[in-house]
C-alpha cells in the first residue's frame, strides 16, 4: 500500500485556522474501523468557508477538510463493510469533528458510510455531493408536505445557479414542476434554462426588505439564501404552500413575521443534511437515482484537481462558482 499521500489539513496558525497541503501516512489517520481509498470529493459552500478560513467550520484542529467523499473500502474491522464496497459519506461532522474527504485515504466510522447506489459512479456521487443530496431532501420535504403538485403553480429556487440550487432546479423540472429561479447572475440564465427553469427573479428584488404579506406567487420554494430573501419568499408564498430552508448564503438572520404562517398556513420546513439519519439519506439517494437526469447532472458539473481547492474555496464563498464541482483525489 502507498506510503504517504497528500491531504488538505487545517491547522491553528497564530490562533487562526489555516489550510495547507501536507503529506500524511496511514498511521496519521484516526482510529476508525473502516479504511476507505477516496477517489473523489466535492466542493460545497461549507468547504469554501473551511478552506478559505472565512468560517470556523472545524471544531478541533488539526482537521482534514472536505465534507464529502466517495471511494472504495480497503480494510474493515466490522462485518457490515467489506473490502471492495463502494461507499459515499456526506456530512456526519466531516471537516468539523471528523477528518474529511480531501485526502487519498481516510478511516471512517461504520455508521457514517452510505452504500453508493447502483448506477452512480463515484464521480457522479460527488457531482451530487452534500449539496445535491440536500437538494433532494428539500424536494422530498416539499412533496411530503402534500399540498404542492406538479403543474399547479410555480416553485421558486433561490441561489439557483449554486450547487443546491442547480440540483433542486433539475429535480423539480424533471418531476414536472414549473420552476422560477432567483439568481444574481443574469449570465447564468441560459445555463438555468437548460436545466429546466421557465422564469427568473432578480436576486436583488428578494434581498430588499418587503411587506409582511405580499402578492401570492409560489406554491412552494427551495431557499438556500436565508435572511431577507427567505422572509420575502415566505411573504410571497401562496395559501397552503411550503418553503424549505437549508442555507445562509445571504445571511443567517430571518427578519420576517408570523403572518404568512398564521394567515396563509405557509410551512417553513427546516432541512439538515449533516446529522440526517441513515433512512432519510437512503431515501434521498434513491430519489436521486430515480429522478435526477444524468445528462443534466453532467451539464451542471465541473471537475477540478485537489490543487485547485484554495482558489475554488475563495470563489464559492464569493458566489463565483456555478453548479457543482467534483474534486478528483486519486
Ligand atoms: P453555492 O455557493 O454553490 O450556492 C449558493 C448560491 O447562493 C450562489 O451560487 C448564488 O447563487 C447565491 N448567493 C451567493 N451569495 C449570495 C448573497 N450574498 N445573497 C444572495 N444569494 C447569494 O453553495 P451551496 O449550494 O453548496 O450551498 C448553498 C447554501 O446551503 C449554503 O449556505 C450552504 O451552507 C447551505 N447548505 C446547507 C446544508 C444543510 O444541511 N442545511 C447542506 C448543503 C448546503 P446565484 O448566483 O444564482 O444568485
Amino acid at each position: 500500500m502507498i506510503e504517504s499521500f497528500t491531504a488538505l489539513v487545517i491547522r491553528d496558525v497564530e490562533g487562526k485556522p489555516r489550510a495547507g497541503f501536507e503529506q500524511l501516512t496511514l498511521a496519521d489517520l484516526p482510529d476508525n474501523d473502516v479504511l476507505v481509498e477516496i477517489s473523489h470529493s466535492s466542493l460545497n459552500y461549507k468547504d469554501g468557508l473551511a478552506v478559505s478560513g472565512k468560517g470556523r467550520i472545524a471544531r478541533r484542529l488539526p482537521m482534514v477538510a472536505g465534507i464529502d467523499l466517495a471511494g472504495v473500502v480497503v480494510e474493515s474491522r466490522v462485518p457490515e463493510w467489506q473490502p471492495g464496497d463502494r461507499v459515499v459519506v456526506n456530512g456526519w461532522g466531516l471537516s468539523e469533528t471528523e477528518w474529511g474527504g480531501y485526502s487519498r485515504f481516510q478511516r471512517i466510522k461504520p455508521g457514517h458510510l452510505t452504500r453508493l447506489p447502483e448506477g452512480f459512479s463515484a464521480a457522479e456521487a460527488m457531482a451530487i455531493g452534500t449539496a445535491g443530496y440536500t437538494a433532494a431532501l428539500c424536494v422530498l420535504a416539499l412533496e411530503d408536505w402534500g399540498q404542492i403538485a406538479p403543474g399547479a403553480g410555480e416553485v421558486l429556487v433561490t441561489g439557483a445557479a449554486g450547487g443546491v440550487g442547480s440540483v433542486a432546479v433539475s429535480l423539480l423540472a424533471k418531476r414536472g414542476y414549473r420552476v422560477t429561479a432567483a439568481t444574481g447572475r443574469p449570465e447564468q440564465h441560459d445555463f438555468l434554462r437548460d436545466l429546466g427553469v421557465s422564469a427568473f427573479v432578480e436576486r436583488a428584488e428578494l434581498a430588499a426588505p418587503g411587506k409582511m404579506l405580499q402578492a401570492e406567487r409560489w406554491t412552494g420554494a427551495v431557499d438556500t439564501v436565508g435572511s431577507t430573501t427567505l422572509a420575502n419568499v415566505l411573504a410571497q408564498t401562496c395559501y397552503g404552500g411550503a418553503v424549505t430552508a437549508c442555507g445562509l448564503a445571504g445571511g443567517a438572520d430571518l427578519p420576517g413575521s408570523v403572518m404568512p404562517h398564521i394567515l396563509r398556513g405557509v410551512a417553513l420546513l427546516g432541512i439538515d443534511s449533516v446529522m440526517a439519519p441513515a433512512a432519510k439519506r437512503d431515501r434521498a439517494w434513491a430519489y436521486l437515482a430515480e429522478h435526477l437526469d444524468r445528462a443534466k447532472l453532467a451539464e451542471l458539473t465541473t471537475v477540478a484537481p485537489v490543487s485547485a481547492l484554495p482558489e475554488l474555496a475563495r470563489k464559492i464563498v464569493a458566489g463565483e462558482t456555478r453548479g457543482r464541482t467534483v474534486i478528483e483525489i486519486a
Side-chain angles (χ1 to χ4, degrees):
M1 190 158 327
I2 206 158
E3 295 235 322
S4 72
F5 48 89
T6 306
L8 189 55
V9 183
I10 300 174
R11 289 189 182 274
D12 185 321
V13 179
E14 293 168 0
K16 290 190 178 139
R18 177 119 354 125
F21 291 107
E22 295 183 18
Q23 287 298 113
L24 300 183
T25 67
L26 293 179
D28 295 320
L29 299 179
D31 186 27
N32 294 321
D33 283 337
V34 186
L35 177 66
V36 176
E37 181 167 12
I38 299 167
S39 60
H40 300 81
S41 182
S42 87
L43 177 78
N44 298 273
Y45 190 82
K46 196 191 260 182
D47 296 314
L49 293 174
V51 174
S52 67
K54 288 266 163 55
R56 276 189 184 268
I57 302 300
R59 281 185 259 150
R60 55 186 177 78
L61 297 174
M63 175 60 62
V64 174
I67 69 171
D68 282 327
L69 64 87
V72 177
V73 172
V74 286
E75 282 173 18
S76 173
R77 299 194 293 235
V78 293
E80 58 269 37
W81 297 106
Q82 293 297 322
D85 285 347
R86 297 162 72 234
V87 292
V88 54
V89 186
N90 306 115
W92 285 125
L94 259 59
S95 182
E96 297 178 60
T97 53
E98 309 285 332
W99 279 19
Y102 296 156
S103 169
R104 177 80 182 270
F105 291 91
Q106 196 53 273
R107 282 209 187 85
I108 305 286
K109 292 177 177 159
H112 291 175
L113 293 162
T114 298
R115 226 164 272 283
L116 186 67
E118 281 301 319
F120 280 131
S121 66
E124 282 176 324
M126 290 295 96
I128 294 165
T130 287
Y133 135 72
T134 301
L137 291 176
C138 292
V139 176
L140 276 165
L142 290 183
E143 295 196 335
D144 288 348
W145 174 241
Q147 298 184 50
I148 300 165
E154 292 281 329
V155 176
L156 177 71
V157 177
T158 66
V164 176
S166 57
V167 178
V169 163
S170 304
L171 281 174
L172 287 162
K174 180 86 187 304
R175 296 284 288 152
Y177 294 92
R178 278 213 314 277
V179 185
T180 296
T183 179
R185 290 182 282 176
E187 68 274 19
Q188 300 301 345
H189 282 194
D190 286 346
F191 164 72
L192 288 165
R193 238 181 244 113
D194 285 346
L195 296 183
V197 165
S198 54
F200 294 92
V201 173
E202 211 354 83
R203 181 203 287 178
E205 201 185 297
L206 290 171
K211 291 187 178 155
M212 286 191 245
L213 281 178
Q214 301 170 31
E216 294 173 66
R217 299 178 73 178
W218 324 113
T219 56
V222 171
D223 178 64
T224 70
V225 172
S227 193
T228 309
T229 298
L230 176 54
N232 281 325
V233 172
L234 288 165
Q236 295 171 3
T237 298
C238 301
Y239 193 95
V243 179
T244 60
C246 73
L248 39 55
D253 58 339
L254 181 50
S257 80
V258 296
M259 294 311 225
H261 310 294
I262 66 174
L263 293 184
R264 292 180 180 163
V266 169
L268 177 55
L269 307 170
I271 303 296
D272 167 59
S273 67
V274 178
M275 300 311 287
K280 210 169 186 178
R281 290 166 187 263
D282 289 344
R283 187 172 171 229
W285 278 100
Y287 188 86
L288 287 157
E290 189 178 350
H291 297 298
L292 187 62
D293 183 320
R294 304 303 159 86
K296 303 280 185 220
L297 179 65
E299 268 175 48
L300 62 82
T301 302
T302 308
V303 180
V306 155
S307 58
L309 273 168
E311 174 60 5
L312 287 170
R314 185 199 64 72
K315 280 184 149 179
I316 197 167
V317 174
E320 293 171 10
T321 57
R322 175 176 98 173
R324 295 280 303 140
T325 306
V326 170
I327 305 298
E328 281 182 329
I329 304 285

